[in-house]
Amino acid sequence: MDFILSFLALMILWPVILIVALLVRLKLGGPVIFKQDRPGLNEKIFVMYKFRTMSDERDDNGELLPDKIRLTKFGKFLRSTSLDELPELFNILKGDMSIIGPRPLLVRYLPLYDEHQKRRHEVRPGLSGLAQISGRNAISWEDKFNLDVFYVDNISFIKDWKIILLTIKKVFVREGINSNHNETMEAFRGKTEQIVIVKKEKEMV
């Protein structure tokens, strides 16, 4: 399913991908594609592709300015419509990712996970996942990890299709793009709390 859907999506969406690439080049400059190492299945590192959404603006000391400043109006549009995620279809074709699974996070978070949180790497990371249809960046890290592990324990073909359909709905509604405090999700700092999976979250899939 991963290979077929990503291949068909690329065949259908290539004009959109080309237009977005040209707009990114004109509005944000190069490189058009943002590449970053991310941990995948069994914590194996791979290079994830996305369209860049931020400028390279720096202060007098050469340090990058805060995300809120570098994230342009155009970048916010790409994120709210999930157009910045389209290059990840190539990651799915390569076998680094799946259509559905826990979102690939930063490599520097790996040493911060407890045993429960590490279980998110028992499956391939996804373009979308249970946490994304449940609030995306607007929910806490604890809720995110709980949902990721719940998905790992309850993965199925039918449930993946339910998440795909709910993801499409979320893209049009544009919910949960930003956290409650920042333009992007706050950094994970390794704080763990009691693991609770709410009944309504279980019933979603």
Side-chain angles (χ1 to χ4, degrees):
M1 184 182 75
D2 287 333
F3 182 86
I4 292 173
L5 289 183
S6 58
F7 181 79
L8 290 176
L10 285 170
M11 293 299 98
I12 295 171
L13 296 174
W14 71 264
V16 177
I17 294 173
L18 180 60
I19 291 171
V20 173
L22 290 173
L23 289 174
V24 170
R25 179 66 180 180
L26 289 172
K27 294 180 176 293
L28 297 174
V32 171
I33 300 296
F34 172 75
K35 300 178 183 180
Q36 190 174 55
D37 288 345
R38 297 290 176 98
L41 178 64
N42 298 321
E43 301 184 5
K44 180 180 178 181
I45 307 302
F46 71 96
V47 179
M48 189 182 77
Y49 311 125
K50 295 179 71 172
F51 282 122
R52 77 182 289 185
T53 56
M54 293 186 182
S55 68
D56 286 330
E57 293 179 84
R58 299 175 182 270
D59 59 23
D60 295 336
N61 297 320
E63 298 291 332
L64 287 171
L65 294 176
D67 291 349
K68 184 176 182 179
I69 297 176
R70 295 190 297 118
L71 184 59
T72 64
K73 185 176 181 180
F74 175 65
K76 290 179 182 178
F77 170 77
L78 291 182
R79 292 191 178 196
S80 67
T81 56
S82 295
L83 289 172
D84 63 317
E85 310 281 358
L86 289 178
E88 290 171 43
L89 292 169
F90 291 102
N91 285 120
I92 298 172
L93 276 182
K94 290 171 59 182
D96 297 325
M97 295 176 60
S98 291
I99 298 290
I100 301 301
R103 284 293 297 165
L105 301 177
L106 299 177
V107 174
R108 63 185 173 90
Y109 291 167
L110 287 176
L112 304 178
Y113 297 148
D114 61 26
E115 292 304 312
H116 175 76
Q117 295 162 348
K118 286 181 179 180
R119 296 198 56 222
R120 70 193 312 278
H121 294 292
E122 292 177 11
V123 297
R124 285 188 178 89
L127 185 65
S128 182
L130 185 56
Q132 280 60 56
I133 64 169
S134 304
R136 199 171 172 179
N137 289 333
I139 61 177
S140 69
W141 279 112
E142 287 74 25
D143 288 338
K144 247 183 214 184
F145 289 129
N146 290 343
L147 289 166
D148 288 343
V149 176
F150 178 76
Y151 172 81
V152 170
D153 288 335
N154 296 274
I155 187 171
S156 76
F157 183 81
I158 297 300
K159 289 175 182 176
D160 274 9
W161 270 104
K162 288 182 179 180
I163 295 174
I164 288 173
L165 295 176
L166 286 170
T167 297
I168 294 172
K169 177 184 176 182
K170 287 287 184 179
V171 168
F172 284 103
V173 176
R174 302 189 190 183
E175 290 180 346
I177 305 302
N178 299 325
S179 71
N180 294 325
H181 307 290
N182 297 321
E183 294 296 326
T184 55
M185 186 66 185
E186 294 90 344
F188 176 59
R189 304 187 187 284
K191 179 181 179 181
T192 58
E193 297 179 0
Q194 183 179 4
I195 299 167
V196 178
I197 299 179
V198 182
K199 181 179 179 182
K200 69 176 182 179
E201 294 173 340
K202 292 183 179 179
E203 294 175 346
M204 292 190 66
V205 293

